[in-house]
Amino acid sequence: MRENNASSTSVVETVAGFTAGIVSTLTLHPLDLIKTRLQVDSISRTRVGSSTRLIRHIYTREGGIAAFYRGLAPNILGNSTSWAAYFFFYGNIKQVLSRGQGAAALGASEYFVASGAAGILTALLTNPIWVLKTRMLSTGSAAPGAYTSFISGARQILTQEGITGFYRGLVPALFGVSHGAFQFMAYEKLKAYRTNSNNKRKKQGLGTLDLLGISGLSKVFAGCITYPYQVLRTRLQSYHAALMYRGVWDVTRRIWRQEGITGFYKGLGPNLLRVLPGTWVTFLVYENTKGLLYKSVG
């Protein structure tokens, strides 16, 4: 019976995560594209209005509204697969840790370990998709050498760079696992605190406003600590990264020398605009889908 419950939990977590990834990506892809373009820009200094100028450029010179959805296929595939894999690993690791804890609730350190381990496994599994997504979002479709499609890009990477080409930026991506670890540690503890603060919430569960506040606070907390790794990863995954940088330390040193501390926070504005709505959508869809699935299997 316990094995059946564990199996049902894994399926529910995976389907809920997969659904949340698709919905959030469809909703917020244009902001992801703008953030990526700003992150790969190693020439211009960060200025007020950079996002507005970039939006105008993309709209007028790259094909209007459709240009903001370039790279949508790898982004949907990457996000849906990542969230499905993440919640699958996260749920199962929490179950293992819970058995070791007995009746006691998991603490912050256990949530940190579970989310960190889930993040590492997910990063190893999905990095090839993120390389393709980054390259497609970082240039317009008419740019020289731009990938015409997801399959075409994968074929070019395999031919020109080999298998290792699919794992560019993996080191900073693994550093970025700490983002998810901090976020889920904060999310689980805030959710537990909010649930236990009121008897009605214990019976009925958290409402939409509760989930919005908890998921938003946990995301801001993690983002403030870990954002620079995203810039490093994006630079190392761009088209000409192999010619421009010798590795993580080289790109870090060059950003510091040429762009200063603000270089590590390029794209932070659209990233904040994207991550909060994205987090709200992801966790609302995830929690509600999970609740419906548990009712249907229970």
Side-chain angles (χ1 to χ4, degrees):
M1 187 69 177
R2 185 176 295 175
E3 289 181 3
N4 289 335
N5 288 337
S7 177
S8 296
T9 299
S10 295
V11 171
V12 168
E13 295 281 354
T14 304
V15 173
F18 185 81
T19 304
I22 290 177
V23 174
S24 63
T25 304
L26 286 172
T27 307
L28 299 159
H29 180 80
L31 286 173
D32 204 5
L33 182 141
I34 293 164
K35 180 199 74 172
T36 301
R37 295 286 183 92
L38 290 169
Q39 286 180 341
V40 299
D41 179 12
S42 60
I43 300 174
S44 61
R45 288 268 179 175
T46 301
R47 294 180 296 167
V48 175
S50 297
S51 298
T52 304
R53 285 186 287 272
L54 179 57
I55 290 169
R56 191 183 303 119
H57 172 86
I58 293 171
Y59 183 81
T60 57
R61 300 190 183 184
E62 296 183 21
I65 295 297
F68 290 97
Y69 286 89
R70 173 168 166 75
L72 180 62
N75 207 9
I76 287 179
L77 179 62
N79 272 301
S80 59
T81 303
S82 291
W83 280 115
Y86 188 92
F87 281 116
F88 172 81
F89 293 133
Y90 183 59
N92 280 278
I93 294 168
K94 280 198 301 181
Q95 284 185 352
V96 172
L97 293 175
S98 295
R99 293 191 196 109
Q101 289 286 97
L106 294 179
S109 60
E110 284 82 17
Y111 285 126
F112 188 86
V113 169
S115 55
I120 289 171
L121 292 170
T122 302
L124 291 170
L125 182 67
T126 61
N127 199 77
I129 302 172
W130 295 124
V131 173
L132 283 157
K133 172 244 179 180
T134 296
R135 294 186 181 185
M136 292 185 73
L137 266 63
S138 64
T139 61
S141 57
Y147 299 156
T148 56
S149 68
F150 179 79
I151 299 299
S152 172
R155 191 180 297 119
Q156 279 186 243
I157 291 175
L158 186 61
T159 302
Q160 298 173 7
E161 304 172 51
I163 294 296
T164 56
F166 290 107
Y167 286 91
R168 293 195 181 279
L170 179 61
V171 172
L174 291 175
F175 289 150
V177 165
S178 62
H179 177 94
F182 282 119
Q183 180 185 352
F184 274 80
M185 178 185 71
Y187 179 77
E188 295 282 10
K189 297 305 289 183
L190 286 170
K191 190 166 75 166
Y193 173 78
R194 186 66 174 166
T195 300
N196 295 328
S197 66
N198 186 294
N199 288 329
K200 185 178 179 180
R201 294 192 192 96
K202 286 183 181 180
K203 295 178 181 178
Q204 298 181 358
L206 297 176
T208 298
L209 290 178
D210 293 314
L211 292 172
L212 288 176
I214 291 167
S215 60
L217 284 172
S218 61
K219 189 67 175 180
V220 170
F221 168 71
C224 288
I225 297 173
T226 63
Y227 182 78
Y229 95 87
Q230 295 188 38
V231 176
L232 297 177
R233 182 184 65 181
T234 301
R235 297 280 178 99
L236 288 168
Q237 289 179 344
S238 60
Y239 280 102
H240 305 296
L243 300 176
M244 297 174 63
Y245 307 115
R246 293 191 297 274
V248 176
W249 174 245
D250 183 45
V251 68
T252 303
R253 181 170 51 82
R254 289 172 65 174
I255 290 174
W256 177 259
R257 286 184 177 179
Q258 298 170 14
E259 304 166 55
I261 189 66
T262 57
F264 292 101
Y265 289 89
K266 280 190 170 181
L268 180 60
N271 184 65
L272 289 175
L273 287 174
R274 177 189 179 278
V275 296
L276 283 178
T279 298
W280 293 332
V281 170
T282 298
F283 279 89
L284 281 176
V285 173
Y286 166 72
E287 294 286 2
N288 283 286
T289 302
K290 185 171 70 169
L292 289 171
L293 290 171
Y294 274 131
K295 286 179 182 178
S296 67
V297 300

